[in-house]
Amino acid sequence: MIIDQEMEKNEPQLYPRDEHTVLSEAELEKLGLRNQAPSPSICTRIQKIRCSGSTAKSLLYKLLPILTWLPRYPVKEWLLKDIISGFSVGIMHLPQGLAYALLAGLPPVTGLYSSFYPVLLYFFFGTSRHISVGPFAVISVMIGSVTDSLEPSSKYLEIINGTNKTTIINYPQRDAARVELVAALTFLVGTFQVALGLLQFGFVAIYLSEPLVRGYTTAASVQVLISQLKYIFGFDVEEYSGPLSLIYTFLEICKRLPETNIGTLITSLIALVCILLVKMLNDRFAKKLPLPIPVELLTIIISTAISYGAKLNANFGVSVVGDIPSGMRPPEVPSVNYFGKVVGNSFAIAMVGYVICISLGKIFALKHGYTVDSNQELIALGLSNFVGSFFQCYSISCSMSRSLVQESTGGHSQVAGLVSCLIILATILKIGELFYELPKAILAVIILANLKGMFKQFKDIPELWRSNFVDLLIWLVTFVATIVLNLDMGLGVAVVFSLLTVVFRTQMAKYSILGQVSKTGIYKDVAEYDKAEKIPGVTIFRSSATVYFANAELYAGALKKKCGVDVDNLIKRKKKALKKAEKKAKKEAKKNKKIVPEAINGCDSGNNNLGFVDIDMGAKSQEPGGDCNGGDIIVPEHNGSVKDLEPQINIQPQPCYKPTLESLGLEKPPLHSLILDFTPVNFVDTVCIKTLKNIFRDFREIEVDVYLVGCHGDIECRFLCITENSLQPINQCYVIGGIYAS
């Protein structure tokens, strides 16, 4: 409600305007000339959906972004930097692919497959230049929770000694079943993502707010930490699933600490310290180093050599990766038997993977001055997962650590991703079998070392405490729900709670009375601004939220509470006064009961001596200034009805009027006008309309005019529709410079 007076002076007056001119809605429509766009004809609609050469070409360029940027690729400026960046990312893909496969409960080679096929597909379909797609810790631990619950190791126990009943786990059979399960899961993840992308549902990411995503990934990092402790300490634990599974796993680890393998623990601690120290050096000397030191790859190579030379597995019982098959696997169709069991988990993984990917992609796009198509990103990720499921890959997303390396080492496009694919391909074909003696504890250490950035998200708690308490609640509820209820159910609880906070915010809206700041056209809350003063006789009421079914009653209650008048009590007193006046009128009517017939007989005989009749006006209200039945006389009958008599002489009846508060002996309220500021209201529903009708009726009863200010165009149309359709109109609506009045 800020009025720019200078603009009003310079604004050309197309029509003579009076600030207090009252216009009806029809007059406003005539003066404003609302522009109504004609509905397109059937031929026009058919032409829009008809396939043509240009339409097919634009669709092809949209689905294959590589056709847009590759022909204009600046080879001299970008190629060398992309090769260096791709090499740096590729040597990170190798250890992370092996480690994250272990996190997902799968054979290490599936991590290598997931680092090759999806990355190659994203090169053709992706729109981000800098993100590095592939295995990611959060997605891997979500997949791991599915494999542990549907294909637990206890399902594949075999007795090897009939006398002692010694049991071992049949790892090849378990791994084969888990690979089949994850292929079906990844197939559904890709299907969901492609379908949502084709349906232009890229906006679904907005329902996962930043506090929700950060709280969820922080909880997932805690899940990752606890799940890798068994490899750090070198013992097996029972696998749990469902609610409280993380707590049960942690308690099981604490109970079995006396069984720790000392060789495994020492190997883990030495590797962890070395990796963290080198990462700190990389961060500190990032500007001086041409490439970051590939500490993870060096750790894998050195630890494999030490394990092979010292025979850690045979001499100290250190668990190793084992056989990594060489070569490419032929494609296989995912099994449909698991679809019904993993459909819910697949949708959750699809959403989390997409949100992480699009969030990081938009950060880099904003930094480097290009745009990322959210719908195409869904399609690109979906195709990467969909096709990858035929080659024993598991669901992928975007890794923050690899993306930062790809961007910081000078990568300009997904050519860097293509180079990293070549490194992984060489590993799959020949190099992978050399990592037979790689200790599993080293892979667990690599996973934990890459969680440092996620654990830093705990710093969000004090920041949100100072900035936004509701966002802090979303963060905490997401974190606790994910820890307690596991990853899939925790995400559902977090989304529901996040949406409920929106409803709660509308129900806990701020209601204020506005006053004019002295000598300005600015109106502010009188409770917050000392210089904001109420206009005498006028109350301006504003709600900070839209008015709809969830808060309509709260809106009406706050209005009556803050307007300075006890509306309900005044209406109640008015009704009592009206009843009292009606009883008095009835008593007077009984006294005059005998006078009326005599007056009628006198008229028949030509006698002009006629007394005036007191007529009860409370039985039938009319508009002020109207007359009752012209010159007729209203005579009450014994049954309570009335009848009109044609007088034979010229009789002047008493004029009809609506009783006022003053005429009833009641004090008039201190305000004569109530203005409802609808500027924050962006939609209305039938409950809001009915609430407004009740507000208008109540304040009209106490002789206060109600005005609606700042109604948007769609709300104006809604009022028109209400007037024209089955619902009763609110009342006559007028416009005073954009103000609706009753």
Side-chain angles (χ1 to χ4, degrees):
M1 301 178 68
I2 300 176
I3 302 174
D4 192 341
Q5 298 178 352
E6 295 297 328
M7 291 183 64
E8 288 187 352
K9 292 179 181 179
N10 299 328
E11 182 182 357
Q13 298 295 325
L14 301 179
Y15 301 95
R17 188 184 71 170
D18 183 2
E19 292 184 356
H20 301 285
T21 301
V22 179
L23 302 176
S24 67
E25 187 66 31
E27 291 172 341
L28 175 65
E29 293 294 322
K30 185 177 179 180
L31 180 62
L33 297 177
R34 184 189 294 271
N35 184 15
Q36 295 181 352
S39 58
S41 62
I42 298 178
C43 296
T44 306
R45 294 177 181 176
I46 293 176
Q47 289 178 356
K48 288 184 178 181
I49 63 175
R50 185 178 61 183
C51 183
S52 61
S54 59
T55 304
K57 183 179 179 180
S58 62
L59 183 61
L60 180 63
Y61 275 72
K62 185 176 181 180
L63 292 178
L64 280 172
I66 190 175
L67 299 177
T68 303
W69 62 266
L70 189 59
R72 299 194 295 267
Y73 182 79
V75 179
K76 294 182 180 180
E77 292 84 0
W78 287 8
L79 182 59
L80 181 60
K81 293 182 178 179
D82 280 340
I83 291 175
I84 296 173
S85 176
F87 180 78
S88 302
V89 173
I91 61 179
M92 290 184 67
H93 258 301
L94 175 59
Q96 289 187 6
L98 296 172
Y100 291 155
L102 187 69
L103 184 58
L106 299 171
V109 70
T110 59
L112 298 179
Y113 295 154
S114 301
S115 300
F116 174 71
Y117 291 106
V119 178
L120 183 62
L121 287 166
Y122 188 84
F123 171 75
F124 293 97
F125 296 98
T127 60
S128 177
R129 301 177 190 170
H130 296 90
I131 65 172
S132 173
V133 297
F136 182 53
V138 174
I139 302 299
S140 299
V141 75
M142 293 179 73
I143 296 172
S145 66
V146 177
T147 56
D148 289 342
S149 60
L150 296 182
E151 296 293 343
S153 299
S154 58
K155 186 178 178 181
Y156 299 94
L157 292 176
E158 293 182 354
I159 300 176
I160 60 172
N161 192 328
T163 304
N164 297 328
K165 294 184 179 181
T166 303
T167 59
I168 63 169
I169 299 174
N170 189 337
Y171 288 106
Q173 187 178 357
R174 185 203 67 176
D175 291 345
R178 287 185 172 183
V179 168
E180 187 177 4
L181 166 66
V182 171
L185 175 69
T186 306
F187 179 86
L188 288 180
V189 170
T191 303
F192 280 127
Q193 289 175 335
V194 171
L196 291 173
L198 293 176
L199 295 174
Q200 306 294 299
F201 268 70
F203 66 89
V204 295
I206 63 177
Y207 293 106
L208 300 180
S209 63
E210 182 180 358
L212 187 150
V213 173
R214 293 178 70 86
Y216 185 78
T217 52
T218 306
S221 65
V222 175
Q223 294 254 17
V224 173
L225 171 63
I226 294 177
S227 68
Q228 297 306 297
L229 289 179
K230 61 182 180 181
Y231 298 109
I232 300 294
F233 293 107
F235 52 72
D236 294 328
V237 296
E238 185 179 350
E239 295 173 348
Y240 298 93
S241 61
L244 302 178
S245 60
L246 185 67
I247 298 174
Y248 292 145
T249 302
F250 181 73
L251 294 177
E252 180 78 11
I253 291 173
C254 293
K255 290 179 181 178
R256 304 197 64 174
L257 283 178
E259 304 175 15
T260 300
N261 186 304
I262 303 300
T264 302
L265 180 61
I266 293 175
T267 303
S268 303
L269 293 177
I270 294 174
L272 182 61
V273 171
C274 293
I275 291 175
L276 291 178
L277 286 176
V278 177
K279 281 183 174 290
M280 290 174 60
L281 292 175
N282 283 335
D283 295 338
R284 186 169 184 177
F285 300 102
K287 296 181 180 180
K288 297 181 179 180
L289 293 173
L291 291 175
I293 302 173
V295 60
E296 296 170 344
L297 181 62
L298 293 176
T299 303
I300 285 181
I301 295 174
I302 295 173
S303 61
T304 302
I306 294 175
S307 176
Y308 178 78
K311 294 182 172 41
L312 295 180
N313 179 252
N315 296 333
F316 300 97
V318 177
S319 179
V320 296
V321 170
D323 183 43
I324 299 178
S326 300
M328 310 295 289
R329 296 291 300 271
E332 296 180 7
V333 179
S335 175
V336 299
N337 297 328
Y338 290 105
F339 283 1
K341 300 177 182 179
V342 299
V343 61
N345 300 93
S346 61
F347 186 79
I349 293 173
M351 289 296 97
V352 173
Y354 167 67
V355 169
I356 294 171
C357 187
I358 195 64
S359 301
L360 200 57
K362 287 184 176 181
I363 291 174
F364 287 121
L366 183 64
K367 181 178 179 180
H368 293 277
Y370 63 92
T371 59
V372 174
D373 187 347
S374 58
N375 293 310
Q376 182 60 30
E377 284 297 297
L378 260 178
I379 295 174
L381 283 177
L383 288 175
S384 299
N385 286 315
F386 181 83
V387 177
S389 65
F390 291 87
F391 296 93
Q392 297 186 356
C393 300
Y394 62 88
S395 300
I396 56 97
S397 182
C398 157
S399 170
M400 182 177 296
S401 60
R402 294 195 306 267
S403 299
L404 290 174
V405 169
Q406 180 169 326
E407 190 261 348
S408 62
T409 53
H412 291 286
S413 68
Q414 285 300 326
V415 172
L418 183 63
V419 174
S420 69
C421 285
L422 298 178
I423 296 175
I424 298 298
L425 179 62
T427 305
I428 293 173
L429 294 178
K430 293 295 181 182
I431 304 175
E433 59 188 10
L434 301 178
F435 294 107
Y436 182 92
E437 293 291 337
L438 174 63
K440 290 183 178 180
I442 299 298
L443 297 178
V445 166
I446 292 174
I447 293 173
L448 297 184
N450 284 285
L451 294 177
K452 183 179 68 172
M454 291 189 184
F455 285 127
K456 288 182 178 179
Q457 295 178 156
F458 280 108
K459 295 180 180 178
D460 294 347
I461 296 177
E463 293 177 0
L464 293 175
W465 174 267
R466 291 189 295 266
S467 59
N468 194 311
F469 184 72
V470 176
D471 286 344
L472 174 62
L473 283 180
I474 294 174
W475 199 102
L476 293 176
V477 168
T478 303
F479 179 83
V480 173
T482 305
I483 293 293
V484 174
L485 301 177
N486 216 338
L487 292 166
D488 48 357
M489 288 185 287
L491 180 61
V493 171
V495 172
V496 171
F497 181 80
S498 179
L499 295 178
L500 285 177
T501 58
V502 179
V503 179
F504 292 152
R505 290 186 194 189
T506 61
Q507 290 186 324
M508 295 184 293
K510 180 182 178 182
Y511 302 104
S512 54
I513 299 297
L514 303 184
Q516 185 179 18
V517 180
S518 57
K519 298 182 181 180
T520 67
I522 301 174
Y523 292 82
K524 293 294 183 180
D525 188 357
V526 295
E528 295 181 358
Y529 291 82
D530 295 334
K531 296 296 184 179
E533 299 178 355
K534 293 175 60 176
I535 302 174
V538 178
T539 297
I540 306 175
F541 180 77
R542 173 188 285 177
S543 169
S544 62
T546 191
V547 185
Y548 66 115
F549 68 92
N551 64 353
E553 289 190 14
L554 298 174
Y555 180 87
L559 171 62
K560 293 180 179 179
K561 183 178 180 181
K562 286 182 171 290
C563 68
V565 180
D566 192 348
V567 180
D568 296 332
N569 184 43
L570 188 55
I571 293 175
K572 185 177 180 180
R573 291 167 57 195
K574 181 180 177 181
K575 289 181 178 179
K576 288 183 178 180
L578 285 173
K579 289 182 180 179
K580 186 176 180 181
E582 185 178 348
K583 290 180 180 179
K584 183 178 179 181
K586 287 182 179 180
K587 291 180 179 179
E588 294 180 356
K590 290 181 180 179
K591 292 180 180 179
N592 298 329
K593 189 174 181 181
K594 298 180 179 180
I595 302 176
V596 174
E598 294 177 359
I600 296 174
N601 294 331
C603 289
D604 293 337
S605 61
N607 188 358
N608 293 329
N609 296 326
L610 177 63
F612 290 101
V613 180
D614 189 9
I615 302 172
D616 181 12
M617 307 307 303
K620 184 177 179 182
S621 65
Q622 299 184 11
E623 295 297 327
D627 294 332
C628 291
N629 304 314
D632 298 344
I633 297 178
I634 303 176
V635 182
E637 293 187 340
H638 295 287
N639 56 8
S641 62
V642 296
K643 66 178 181 179
D644 298 341
L645 297 178
E646 297 285 344
Q648 302 298 324
I649 60 174
N650 187 16
I651 299 178
Q652 299 292 335
Q654 293 181 349
C656 282
Y657 64 93
K658 188 173 182 179
T660 63
L661 294 174
E662 293 180 350
S663 66
L664 294 173
L666 299 176
E667 183 180 357
K668 199 172 181 180
L671 68 153
H672 56 76
S673 297
L674 172 66
I675 298 177
L676 305 181
D677 185 5
F678 262 43
T679 306
V681 178
N682 50 21
F683 71 93
V684 294
D685 57 6
T686 55
V687 177
C688 173
I689 296 294
K690 292 179 179 179
T691 302
L692 290 176
K693 288 173 61 177
N694 294 334
I695 291 173
F696 288 0
R697 179 199 63 204
D698 292 344
F699 280 90
R700 201 162 43 238
E701 285 289 329
I702 61 173
E703 302 173 14
V704 175
D705 296 327
V706 183
Y707 301 85
L708 300 183
V709 182
C711 296
H712 301 295
D714 54 346
I715 298 180
E716 295 178 16
C717 296
R718 179 61 177 163
F719 284 133
L720 292 175
C721 293
I722 291 294
T723 303
E724 295 171 358
N725 293 330
S726 58
L727 287 177
Q728 294 294 326
I730 292 179
N731 204 342
Q732 285 185 322
C733 286
Y734 301 96
V735 176
I736 309 176
I739 301 177
Y740 282 80
S742 65

mmCIF file of all heavy atoms in Angstrom, residues 29 120 309:
data_model
loop_
_atom_site.group_PDB
_atom_site.id
_atom_site.type_symbol
_atom_site.label_atom_id
_atom_site.label_comp_id
_atom_site.label_asym_id
_atom_site.label_seq_id
_atom_site.Cartn_x
_atom_site.Cartn_y
_atom_site.Cartn_z
ATOM 1 N N GLU A 29 -15.420 -2.763 -15.341
ATOM 2 C CA GLU A 29 -15.087 -3.561 -16.518
ATOM 3 C C GLU A 29 -15.186 -2.717 -17.781
ATOM 4 O O GLU A 29 -14.369 -2.856 -18.695
ATOM 5 C CB GLU A 29 -16.034 -4.770 -16.609
ATOM 6 C CG GLU A 29 -15.870 -5.794 -15.503
ATOM 7 C CD GLU A 29 -14.526 -6.486 -15.571
ATOM 8 O OE1 GLU A 29 -14.061 -6.766 -16.685
ATOM 9 O OE2 GLU A 29 -13.927 -6.718 -14.512
ATOM 10 N N LEU A 120 29.042 -42.691 -19.416
ATOM 11 C CA LEU A 120 29.067 -42.620 -20.879
ATOM 12 C C LEU A 120 27.734 -42.133 -21.434
ATOM 13 O O LEU A 120 27.687 -41.312 -22.359
ATOM 14 C CB LEU A 120 29.411 -44.000 -21.446
ATOM 15 C CG LEU A 120 29.550 -44.102 -22.965
ATOM 16 C CD1 LEU A 120 30.687 -43.220 -23.458
ATOM 17 C CD2 LEU A 120 29.763 -45.555 -23.383
ATOM 18 N N GLY A 309 52.433 -58.664 -0.336
ATOM 19 C CA GLY A 309 53.759 -59.055 0.129
ATOM 20 C C GLY A 309 53.747 -59.632 1.527
ATOM 21 O O GLY A 309 54.440 -60.626 1.819
#
